[in-house]
Amino acid sequence: MKIAVIGGTGYGAIELIRFLKNHPKVELTKVISHSQNGTKLSAVYPHLTDVIEMTMEALDVEELSKTIDLVFFATPSNVSKEYIPSLIEKGVKCIDLSGDFRLKSPESYERWYQSSPAPQAYVDKAVYGLSEIYGDQIKQANLIANPGCYPTATLLGLIPALKQQVIDPKSILIDAKSGVSGAGRGLSLNVHYSEMNENLKAYKLGQHKHIPEIEQILSNESGEDLTITFMTHLVPMTRGIMSTIYADLTEFKKTDEIIAFYHSFYQNHPFVRVRTDGSIPSTREVYGSNYCDIGIYADERTGKLTVISVIDNLVKGASGQAIQNMNLLYGWDVQTGIDHLPIYP
Amino acid sequence: MKIAVIGGTGYGAIELIRFLKNHPKVELTKVISHSQNGTKLSAVYPHLTDVIEMTMEALDVEELSKTIDLVFFATPSNVSKEYIPSLIEKGVKCIDLSGDFRLKSPESYERWYQSSPAPQAYVDKAVYGLSEIYGDQIKQANLIANPGCYPTATLLGLIPALKQQVIDPKSILIDAKSGVSGAGRGLSLNVHYSEMNENLKAYKLGQHKHIPEIEQILSNESGEDLTITFMTHLVPMTRGIMSTIYADLTEFKKTDEIIAFYHSFYQNHPFVRVRTDGSIPSTREVYGSNYCDIGIYADERTGKLTVISVIDNLVKGASGQAIQNMNLLYGWDVQTGIDHLPIYP
Amino acid sequence: MKIAVIGGTGYGAIELIRFLKNHPKVELTKVISHSQNGTKLSAVYPHLTDVIEMTMEALDVEELSKTIDLVFFATPSNVSKEYIPSLIEKGVKCIDLSGDFRLKSPESYERWYQSSPAPQAYVDKAVYGLSEIYGDQIKQANLIANPGCYPTATLLGLIPALKQQVIDPKSILIDAKSGVSGAGRGLSLNVHYSEMNENLKAYKLGQHKHIPEIEQILSNESGEDLTITFMTHLVPMTRGIMSTIYADLTEFKKTDEIIAFYHSFYQNHPFVRVRTDGSIPSTREVYGSNYCDIGIYADERTGKLTVISVIDNLVKGASGQAIQNMNLLYGWDVQTGIDHLPIYP
Amino acid sequence: MKIAVIGGTGYGAIELIRFLKNHPKVELTKVISHSQNGTKLSAVYPHLTDVIEMTMEALDVEELSKTIDLVFFATPSNVSKEYIPSLIEKGVKCIDLSGDFRLKSPESYERWYQSSPAPQAYVDKAVYGLSEIYGDQIKQANLIANPGCYPTATLLGLIPALKQQVIDPKSILIDAKSGVSGAGRGLSLNVHYSEMNENLKAYKLGQHKHIPEIEQILSNESGEDLTITFMTHLVPMTRGIMSTIYADLTEFKKTDEIIAFYHSFYQNHPFVRVRTDGSIPSTREVYGSNYCDIGIYADERTGKLTVISVIDNLVKGASGQAIQNMNLLYGWDVQTGIDHLPIYP
């Protein structure tokens, strides 16, 4: 199976390459970069020296379609929508790590992304790649819209409670915190080392593109139109996302009872680990791995459910889940090539 | 004016000493430590070498009362309550940075602190030292219960909205994040460098001692019994607290309108800086200083008010506010000795 | 092939377990811990939840020898020397990550370790497990003394120059810097988060146990008794060692010429990557991996050679190299189970 | 006394402003910025909100000379040399934090700065502002070339040993490490948060502009032409420089003896603190302050002297020392306005 990665100089691509290198079923054949066409990957990322000695190429849809079975787009917004339709038509499967095909509503896309949406026919075809929830559709897909990092942590933490109707869906509030790698490799004062180190910042209040993505899925799952409060913060660390999720319990249930339900909900999904001992996961406990760890606390005093959901934003929040979706697509064991333990400490 | 600091080896004491050294109205006469009695301060804190060359002493209430005008207790829970009553009786003013005299209800103290409360007569006398809110009482006090770090950031961010009745007090939810110095100098695996670096942790879910402290003040200010949701997180940085405060607007008001009210509420209080340009403060922007910076965002889509309130947990959240209260107590300019700019970057 | 890891609660053991879990040739059968006998590993290291669900056991040499082929000791000094002789006698191979069998001279051990040495007969038998240099002996060994973290980075950076006689061995000076995980999981004020974050410390000036280890090997390789200057620093990061190595060039050679020699020296050793483009590796470029990356600079103005050698202290500096030695021992491909790319960023 | 700061958006200027705000003898009258002319300082640095509400102006030498007594240049290389000559001629005193007037030899400037030197007459007049060493000349100066950050830490650590002739000047080697703020506020991939966090980098091997600056002063002080080895590293922290200085002792002296000499050398200089108890300073112990702390270790085994010298690169390494030089120039107490304790932790 021959694979191409597009967007070769970003952190998403680099994580894909880390996992693809050791994946036993596929061969990474091309790395494509518009801006670095002709440059050796190891010149941009010296940690690949002697191991991945490929030269980045320009994107040529025609040629790709002749040699490649599946393409990962690890590009910024507004790139994949230009190329994916013709690749799909030529029989190449696509997994898109950008947001171009995630929002079903073109109005919503225009509002939140401030640009024109992808062709609606392809948006309609795209399967939302939240692996544990939409595995059956993913297996049939030609085009997978890989979820955003915040939505992955948040939705995996929320959907069991929502489905079980233990919470009031109108009361959902998510306070999310991310490591800085989520901002990518592009330079900006905001993530200049001396500005971000020993600092904690809230950002994009009420404006984050992941809000409509989370709302769309929650609305689908609950069957009613939901509006949520979702706030994002940058934490002085490179990797990790924590979604601290709050919602009112419809009627009080003990922590253990809710844990038991979550545990059973995810029992066939090795990458979601519900803490059954009542411990609360920290982001380091999934560092570098594809796990989503979930801790649960039901507060009798306030009637609130709190769910803490942590992932590595670059793995389960991006490239790891993309590989997981490829595994689903081809019917391989879901853990193939991504069964690494977290790196601790 | 002669001053003693009790609890000489903790971070709270060390910050008091930093500010007292340059305070023009007082003389730091004694540093007291039970565990390090007889040791030079600079042997425990080499950054004081050649500048503060005092030797720590044991606590002797009788002797203190003859030579000292005011005592700061920067001790763990359950220490100050043993000594403050007799010091007060002997005419020594006390500012207590611990939680011993903060909660008015002995039942509440017993429940949250898991130990027996201070003598009620002295608890009744103690003034809660949230400088900007209770300045008039502080000026008259003999005993000041200096607020906790989380309550300081949270209450300064909430009280204007509560007083103005722009929010539904039953909807208040606070997601708070702290740097690690709040955990003090005591060793524990939780704050071992390799465990905490590149890590983000939620802790003490529903159990934090600062919950009843915040509820007590909010209940006083609103005139009704309030129960809040308050969650705490450890962020991989040394200093800084951010309280992200959420509440439902009773009727929608634009961000600018709420900012204007906050700005006017704090106009005579130089240490609270409301961002009038709509920017959102980060913790680094108050680092090392006594400022509390407040950013405001009213979300028309959700009807939620979000207030971001940041402080340096060791300064406005502890020692800086304690000095501010001393200044109030003696009628000095409130900025005396603590008018430092934040250290940036 | 059945494997036991002894010292189950330390960072060295945890890294061994990470690699052994995915190693195709071996089965991790026992994890042994004196202090945590009877405890589940995942209770001490929650990142192992659901994946490694073993219970730690007490050490029983008799039983071990019946079921286990190879034992890794990831214990503090003064433990392995009590058990290794009888294990060896019973036919169990041992790889010791502690310093107990590294120094050939008992006087030297006593001086630097301040305790009595291991039985000399076993010290004599032990092969020093610097994989790239002593591969032939390692293949024949029953007992491998796995090198220290600093010696690994330093020796791999120095030995080619020393062997080629391009430097004056008497002029060698090494300024080494380590991430904090090298100090282990034991609590101490020195590595308390708030003391170590945003801080840089020199430590153990002239006293570090790795000094005689480096001198012993350099003396062997050069054929003369060498005394070196070696200084250690703690850097505020979890993982990574950089040895900045200085020595006088016997006669000036250009950087490229020295690079070419180093490159050829290590050409059959995939884990040592000499930067041929003149770039200088940073520690992040080997993070989480078994690589040692080497950059070289010959200064025409001063006549000094500078070699920058970086490793992940917990991988190539400990557990990764231990697995590499196991691979050598059993004649497997040297990269088996440890062929991960560095995690970047 | 009216003061202007030129280069208003850099970290050097911001630290000057922090100290000038509380300096009792001067008034900060103008902040000048070429790129941000017309912008409010607090829009660029929100931590100044409500406290320093000045608008940045363009540079007008004529107007400056009518209203300003002293100008600080906190500009990049190649700026101050354009303006300082005419300011000096018009009677304005100048303290230049850039390197434009530090190197006496125009050939050396051209070689290391790769640009044409300042007018030689003014270079000749400029006094090198290493406050503790050149205080007498500084008092008479119109133009002070404020030292670089690395030279400050290094020279204060080396000069006593050199003057006392306890070391062989030909053997000097300095391994220097800096926090990231030394790289300034300009964006570059090298100091992008995700690239620099959890990372340690050597940089500018043999090329650093501070090499000729250190050599010039050491040559002056020793009376012979010296060439040194000087290496720089970036450490993942914002502030702090450590120079680890190595040199051969001409004849062995005990650590205590050398400490005693250093202590006496600096006895009238409050900002240099020699550790007399044999402890070794870490960078955090001078954080935010103007101190240079020095630890000493003489190794009997190797005959090497090691001096560890730490400063805050933005304070004693830049703005703090600039204020100290202003104090010297006007005959004020040297500690005026910069007598802050380090911020710890």
Side-chain angles (χ1 to χ4, degrees):
Chain A
M1 207 67 78
K2 292 193 187 309
I3 306 288
V5 169
I6 303 186
T9 60
Y11 293 150
I14 269 343
E15 276 294 84
L16 281 168
I17 290 167
R18 176 164 75 94
F19 290 116
L20 291 169
K21 184 219 158 228
N22 285 8
H23 194 291
K25 303 280 196 181
V26 303
E27 183 192 348
L28 174 63
T29 310
K30 279 182 192 300
V31 177
I32 286 169
S33 164
H34 184 69
S35 63
Q36 298 280 336
N37 168 22
T39 307
K40 280 177 61 180
L41 252 179
S42 64
V44 180
Y45 285 103
H47 73 284
L48 301 176
T49 300
D50 292 357
V51 187
I52 306 283
E53 285 297 3
M54 300 172 77
T55 296
M56 289 179 276
E57 304 175 30
L59 178 52
D60 176 336
V61 168
E62 200 58 46
E63 200 227 326
L64 263 191
S65 68
K66 289 183 189 139
T67 54
I68 296 294
D69 298 290
L70 183 144
V71 168
F72 290 100
F73 279 85
T75 44
S77 295
N78 293 316
V79 174
S80 67
K81 69 187 178 197
E82 303 295 327
Y83 302 102
I84 279 181
S86 48
L87 283 165
I88 295 288
E89 292 312 316
K90 292 175 197 296
V92 181
K93 289 181 186 287
C94 295
I95 299 181
D96 183 16
L97 283 74
S98 86
D100 280 13
F101 292 87
R102 291 184 198 147
L103 299 186
K104 295 299 182 191
S105 148
E107 294 76 25
S108 179
Y109 187 90
E110 279 183 339
R111 172 179 174 181
W112 292 91
Y113 284 76
Q114 310 272 328
S115 71
S116 54
Q120 190 66 26
Y122 296 90
V123 171
D124 290 345
K125 254 185 239 185
V127 171
Y128 188 68
L130 190 61
S131 317
E132 282 75 14
I133 307 299
Y134 302 115
D136 290 345
Q137 294 103 297
I138 291 165
K139 287 172 190 169
Q140 318 295 330
N142 292 317
L143 166 54
I144 296 170
N146 214 58
C149 49
Y150 285 123
T152 297
T154 302
L155 293 168
L156 291 175
L158 258 174
I159 285 175
L162 200 67
K163 290 222 159 188
Q164 181 77 340
Q165 299 180 312
V166 300
I167 56 169
D168 172 5
K170 300 208 177 320
S171 69
I172 294 169
L173 184 153
I174 301 125
D175 188 284
K177 299 101 180 160
S178 177
V180 178
S181 62
R185 212 185 200 201
L187 303 183
S188 95
L189 191 57
N190 210 36
V191 293
H192 188 57
Y193 183 87
S194 299
E195 303 281 320
M196 188 61 229
N197 182 43
E198 274 287 285
N199 203 352
L200 174 63
K201 304 179 180 180
Y203 71 105
K204 289 194 190 166
L205 282 77
Q207 318 294 327
H208 202 288
K209 292 183 175 78
H210 289 167
I211 293 174
E213 183 178 337
I214 296 169
E215 287 181 346
Q216 170 179 289
I217 301 299
L218 291 182
S219 297
N220 287 354
E221 294 296 320
S222 71
E224 54 181 319
D225 248 26
L226 291 181
T227 300
I228 58 164
T229 294
F230 178 80
M231 182 70 63
T232 45
H233 303 78
L234 274 187
V235 175
M237 60 187 194
T238 301
R239 286 168 178 250
I241 276 182
M242 178 181 287
S243 277
T244 311
I245 301 165
Y246 305 91
D248 293 336
L249 289 162
T250 45
E251 61 180 306
F252 184 69
K253 286 189 169 52
K254 287 198 179 298
T255 298
D256 281 352
E257 197 179 340
I258 302 170
I259 286 175
F261 172 67
Y262 269 71
H263 194 249
S264 122
F265 188 93
Y266 286 120
Q267 64 184 335
N268 298 318
H269 296 285
F271 286 125
V272 181
R273 305 189 296 188
V274 177
R275 295 289 174 85
T276 54
D277 60 355
S279 71
I280 300 298
S282 67
T283 59
R284 186 83 215 186
E285 291 164 6
V286 297
Y287 194 96
S289 81
N290 199 48
Y291 294 103
C292 173
D293 280 13
I294 292 177
I296 286 165
Y297 175 72
D299 191 327
E300 189 151 12
R301 214 178 64 91
T302 61
K304 281 273 180 199
L305 174 68
T306 304
V307 180
I308 307 276
S309 174
V310 298
I311 60 170
D312 183 319
N313 55 304
L314 295 178
V315 187
K316 183 64 177 168
S319 305
Q321 185 159 243
I323 307 274
Q324 186 179 357
N325 286 331
M326 177 183 73
N327 290 343
L328 285 167
L329 201 54
Y330 290 119
W332 303 324
D333 182 302
V334 79
Q335 299 190 68
T336 312
I338 44 175
D339 62 340
H340 304 63
L341 276 170
I343 295 203
Y344 193 92
Chain B
M1 207 67 74
K2 293 192 188 309
I3 306 290
V5 169
I6 303 186
T9 60
Y11 293 150
I14 270 340
E15 276 295 85
L16 281 168
I17 290 167
R18 176 164 76 95
F19 290 116
L20 291 169
K21 185 220 157 224
N22 284 9
H23 195 292
K25 303 281 196 180
V26 303
E27 184 193 347
L28 174 62
T29 310
K30 278 182 193 300
V31 177
I32 286 168
S33 164
H34 183 69
S35 63
Q36 298 280 337
N37 169 22
T39 307
K40 279 176 62 180
L41 251 179
S42 63
V44 180
Y45 284 104
H47 74 283
L48 302 177
T49 300
D50 293 357
V51 187
I52 307 284
E53 286 296 3
M54 300 172 78
T55 295
M56 289 181 276
E57 304 173 32
L59 177 52
D60 176 335
V61 169
E62 199 59 43
E63 202 226 323
L64 265 191
S65 68
K66 289 183 189 139
T67 54
I68 297 294
D69 297 292
L70 183 143
V71 167
F72 290 99
F73 278 85
T75 44
S77 295
N78 292 316
V79 175
S80 68
K81 69 187 178 195
E82 303 296 327
Y83 301 103
I84 280 182
S86 47
L87 282 165
I88 295 287
E89 292 312 316
K90 292 174 196 298
V92 181
K93 290 181 185 287
C94 295
I95 299 181
D96 182 15
L97 283 74
S98 86
D100 280 14
F101 291 88
R102 291 182 198 149
L103 299 186
K104 294 301 183 191
S105 148
E107 293 77 26
S108 179
Y109 186 91
E110 279 183 339
R111 171 179 175 181
W112 292 90
Y113 284 76
Q114 310 273 327
S115 72
S116 54
Q120 190 66 27
Y122 295 91
V123 171
D124 290 344
K125 252 185 239 184
V127 170
Y128 188 70
L130 190 61
S131 316
E132 281 75 13
I133 307 300
Y134 301 115
D136 290 345
Q137 295 100 298
I138 291 164
K139 287 172 189 167
Q140 318 295 329
N142 291 318
L143 166 54
I144 296 170
N146 214 59
C149 49
Y150 286 122
T152 296
T154 302
L155 293 168
L156 291 175
L158 258 175
I159 286 175
L162 200 67
K163 289 223 158 188
Q164 182 78 341
Q165 299 180 311
V166 301
I167 55 169
D168 171 5
K170 299 207 178 321
S171 68
I172 295 169
L173 184 152
I174 300 125
D175 188 284
K177 300 100 179 160
S178 177
V180 179
S181 62
R185 211 185 201 201
L187 303 183
S188 95
L189 191 57
N190 210 36
V191 293
H192 189 56
Y193 184 87
S194 299
E195 304 281 320
M196 188 61 230
N197 183 42
E198 275 287 287
N199 204 351
L200 173 64
K201 305 180 180 178
Y203 70 106
K204 288 194 190 168
L205 282 77
Q207 318 295 327
H208 202 288
K209 291 183 176 80
H210 288 167
I211 293 174
E213 184 178 334
I214 296 170
E215 288 182 344
Q216 170 179 290
I217 300 300
L218 292 181
S219 297
N220 287 353
E221 293 297 319
S222 70
E224 54 181 320
D225 248 26
L226 292 180
T227 299
I228 57 163
T229 294
F230 177 80
M231 182 71 62
T232 45
H233 303 78
L234 274 187
V235 175
M237 60 187 194
T238 301
R239 286 169 179 248
I241 277 181
M242 178 182 286
S243 278
T244 311
I245 300 165
Y246 305 90
D248 293 335
L249 288 162
T250 44
E251 63 181 304
F252 184 70
K253 287 191 168 52
K254 286 197 180 302
T255 298
D256 282 352
E257 197 179 340
I258 301 170
I259 287 176
F261 171 66
Y262 268 71
H263 193 249
S264 119
F265 188 93
Y266 286 121
Q267 65 184 337
N268 298 317
H269 296 285
F271 286 125
V272 181
R273 305 189 296 187
V274 178
R275 294 289 175 85
T276 54
D277 60 355
S279 70
I280 301 297
S282 67
T283 59
R284 186 80 215 186
E285 290 164 7
V286 297
Y287 194 97
S289 82
N290 200 48
Y291 294 103
C292 174
D293 280 14
I294 292 177
I296 286 164
Y297 176 71
D299 191 327
E300 189 151 12
R301 217 177 63 90
T302 60
K304 280 274 180 199
L305 175 67
T306 304
V307 180
I308 306 277
S309 175
V310 298
I311 59 170
D312 183 319
N313 56 304
L314 295 177
V315 188
K316 184 64 176 169
S319 304
Q321 185 158 244
I323 306 275
Q324 186 179 356
N325 286 331
M326 176 182 74
N327 290 342
L328 285 167
L329 200 55
Y330 289 120
W332 303 324
D333 182 302
V334 79
Q335 297 190 71
T336 312
I338 44 175
D339 61 341
H340 304 65
L341 276 170
I343 294 202
Y344 194 92
Chain C
M1 207 67 76
K2 294 193 188 310
I3 306 289
V5 169
I6 304 186
T9 60
Y11 293 150
I14 272 336
E15 276 295 84
L16 281 168
I17 290 167
R18 176 164 76 94
F19 291 115
L20 291 169
K21 185 221 157 223
N22 285 9
H23 195 291
K25 304 280 196 181
V26 302
E27 184 193 346
L28 174 62
T29 309
K30 279 182 192 300
V31 178
I32 287 169
S33 165
H34 183 70
S35 63
Q36 298 279 337
N37 169 21
T39 307
K40 279 175 61 179
L41 251 179
S42 64
V44 180
Y45 285 105
H47 73 284
L48 301 177
T49 300
D50 292 358
V51 187
I52 307 284
E53 287 295 2
M54 301 172 78
T55 296
M56 289 180 274
E57 304 173 31
L59 177 52
D60 177 335
V61 168
E62 199 59 43
E63 201 227 325
L64 264 191
S65 67
K66 289 183 190 138
T67 55
I68 297 293
D69 298 291
L70 182 143
V71 168
F72 290 100
F73 278 87
T75 44
S77 295
N78 292 316
V79 175
S80 68
K81 70 187 176 196
E82 303 296 328
Y83 302 102
I84 280 182
S86 47
L87 283 164
I88 295 287
E89 292 312 315
K90 292 173 197 299
V92 181
K93 289 181 186 286
C94 295
I95 298 180
D96 182 15
L97 282 75
S98 86
D100 280 14
F101 292 87
R102 291 183 198 147
L103 300 187
K104 294 301 182 191
S105 148
E107 293 77 26
S108 180
Y109 187 90
E110 280 183 338
R111 172 180 175 180
W112 293 90
Y113 284 75
Q114 310 272 326
S115 71
S116 54
Q120 191 65 27
Y122 296 90
V123 171
D124 290 346
K125 254 185 237 184
V127 171
Y128 188 69
L130 191 62
S131 316
E132 282 75 12
I133 306 300
Y134 301 115
D136 291 344
Q137 294 101 297
I138 291 165
K139 287 172 189 167
Q140 318 296 329
N142 292 317
L143 166 54
I144 295 170
N146 213 59
C149 49
Y150 286 122
T152 297
T154 303
L155 293 168
L156 291 175
L158 258 175
I159 286 174
L162 200 67
K163 289 223 160 189
Q164 182 77 341
Q165 298 180 312
V166 301
I167 55 170
D168 172 5
K170 299 207 178 322
S171 68
I172 295 169
L173 184 152
I174 300 126
D175 187 285
K177 300 100 179 160
S178 178
V180 178
S181 62
R185 213 186 199 199
L187 303 183
S188 94
L189 191 58
N190 210 37
V191 292
H192 188 56
Y193 184 86
S194 299
E195 303 281 320
M196 187 62 230
N197 182 43
E198 275 287 287
N199 204 352
L200 173 63
K201 303 180 181 178
Y203 71 106
K204 288 195 191 166
L205 283 77
Q207 318 295 326
H208 201 288
K209 291 184 177 78
H210 289 167
I211 293 174
E213 184 178 335
I214 296 170
E215 288 181 344
Q216 170 180 288
I217 301 300
L218 292 181
S219 297
N220 287 353
E221 294 297 319
S222 70
E224 53 181 319
D225 249 27
L226 292 181
T227 300
I228 57 163
T229 294
F230 178 80
M231 182 72 62
T232 45
H233 303 78
L234 274 188
V235 175
M237 60 187 194
T238 302
R239 285 169 180 249
I241 276 181
M242 177 181 287
S243 278
T244 311
I245 300 165
Y246 306 90
D248 293 336
L249 289 162
T250 44
E251 62 181 305
F252 184 69
K253 288 191 167 53
K254 287 198 179 299
T255 298
D256 281 353
E257 195 179 342
I258 301 169
I259 287 175
F261 171 66
Y262 268 72
H263 193 250
S264 121
F265 189 93
Y266 286 120
Q267 65 184 335
N268 299 316
H269 297 284
F271 285 126
V272 181
R273 305 189 296 188
V274 177
R275 296 287 174 86
T276 54
D277 61 355
S279 70
I280 300 297
S282 67
T283 59
R284 187 81 216 186
E285 291 163 7
V286 297
Y287 194 96
S289 81
N290 199 48
Y291 294 103
C292 173
D293 279 14
I294 292 177
I296 286 164
Y297 176 71
D299 191 327
E300 189 151 9
R301 217 177 62 89
T302 61
K304 280 274 181 199
L305 175 67
T306 304
V307 180
I308 306 277
S309 175
V310 299
I311 60 170
D312 183 319
N313 56 304
L314 295 177
V315 188
K316 183 63 177 169
S319 304
Q321 185 158 245
I323 307 275
Q324 186 178 357
N325 287 331
M326 177 183 73
N327 290 342
L328 285 168
L329 200 54
Y330 290 119
W332 303 324
D333 183 303
V334 79
Q335 298 191 68
T336 312
I338 44 176
D339 62 340
H340 304 63
L341 276 170
I343 295 204
Y344 193 92
Chain D
M1 206 68 75
K2 293 194 187 310
I3 306 289
V5 169
I6 303 185
T9 60
Y11 293 150
I14 271 338
E15 276 294 83
L16 281 168
I17 289 167
R18 176 165 75 95
F19 291 116
L20 291 169
K21 184 220 158 226
N22 284 8
H23 195 291
K25 303 280 196 181
V26 303
E27 184 192 348
L28 174 62
T29 309
K30 279 182 192 300
V31 178
I32 287 169
S33 165
H34 183 69
S35 63
Q36 298 280 338
N37 169 22
T39 308
K40 278 176 63 180
L41 251 179
S42 63
V44 180
Y45 285 104
H47 73 283
L48 301 177
T49 300
D50 293 357
V51 186
I52 306 283
E53 286 296 3
M54 300 173 77
T55 296
M56 288 180 277
E57 305 175 30
L59 178 52
D60 177 335
V61 168
E62 199 59 44
E63 200 226 327
L64 263 192
S65 68
K66 289 182 189 138
T67 55
I68 296 294
D69 298 291
L70 183 145
V71 167
F72 291 99
F73 278 86
T75 44
S77 295
N78 292 317
V79 175
S80 68
K81 69 187 178 197
E82 303 295 328
Y83 301 103
I84 280 181
S86 47
L87 283 165
I88 295 286
E89 291 311 316
K90 291 174 199 295
V92 181
K93 290 180 185 287
C94 296
I95 299 181
D96 182 16
L97 282 74
S98 86
D100 279 14
F101 292 87
R102 291 183 198 147
L103 299 187
K104 294 300 182 191
S105 149
E107 294 76 27
S108 180
Y109 186 90
E110 280 184 337
R111 172 179 174 181
W112 292 91
Y113 284 76
Q114 309 271 328
S115 71
S116 54
Q120 190 66 26
Y122 296 90
V123 171
D124 289 344
K125 253 185 238 183
V127 171
Y128 188 69
L130 190 61
S131 316
E132 281 75 13
I133 307 299
Y134 301 115
D136 290 344
Q137 294 102 298
I138 291 165
K139 287 171 190 169
Q140 319 295 330
N142 291 318
L143 166 53
I144 295 170
N146 214 58
C149 50
Y150 286 122
T152 297
T154 303
L155 293 169
L156 291 175
L158 258 174
I159 286 174
L162 200 67
K163 290 224 159 189
Q164 182 78 340
Q165 299 180 311
V166 301
I167 55 170
D168 172 5
K170 300 208 176 321
S171 69
I172 294 170
L173 185 153
I174 301 125
D175 187 285
K177 299 101 180 162
S178 177
V180 178
S181 62
R185 213 186 199 201
L187 303 183
S188 95
L189 191 57
N190 210 36
V191 292
H192 188 57
Y193 183 86
S194 299
E195 303 281 320
M196 188 61 229
N197 183 43
E198 274 286 287
N199 203 352
L200 173 64
K201 304 180 181 179
Y203 70 106
K204 289 194 189 166
L205 283 76
Q207 318 295 327
H208 202 290
K209 290 183 177 77
H210 289 167
I211 294 174
E213 184 179 335
I214 297 170
E215 287 181 346
Q216 169 179 290
I217 301 300
L218 292 182
S219 297
N220 287 353
E221 294 297 319
S222 72
E224 53 181 319
D225 249 25
L226 292 181
T227 300
I228 57 164
T229 294
F230 178 80
M231 182 71 62
T232 46
H233 303 78
L234 275 187
V235 175
M237 60 186 194
T238 301
R239 287 169 178 248
I241 277 182
M242 178 182 287
S243 278
T244 311
I245 301 165
Y246 305 90
D248 293 335
L249 289 163
T250 45
E251 62 181 305
F252 184 69
K253 287 191 168 52
K254 287 197 178 301
T255 298
D256 281 352
E257 197 180 340
I258 301 169
I259 286 176
F261 171 66
Y262 268 72
H263 193 250
S264 121
F265 188 93
Y266 286 120
Q267 64 185 336
N268 298 318
H269 297 284
F271 286 125
V272 181
R273 304 190 296 188
V274 177
R275 295 289 174 85
T276 54
D277 60 355
S279 70
I280 300 298
S282 67
T283 59
R284 186 82 214 186
E285 291 163 7
V286 297
Y287 194 98
S289 81
N290 199 48
Y291 294 102
C292 173
D293 280 13
I294 292 177
I296 287 164
Y297 176 71
D299 191 326
E300 190 150 12
R301 216 178 62 91
T302 61
K304 281 272 181 199
L305 175 67
T306 304
V307 180
I308 307 276
S309 175
V310 299
I311 60 170
D312 183 319
N313 55 303
L314 295 178
V315 187
K316 184 63 178 169
S319 304
Q321 185 158 245
I323 307 275
Q324 186 179 357
N325 286 331
M326 177 183 74
N327 290 342
L328 284 168
L329 201 54
Y330 290 120
W332 302 325
D333 182 302
V334 79
Q335 298 191 70
T336 311
I338 44 175
D339 61 340
H340 304 63
L341 276 170
I343 295 204
Y344 194 92

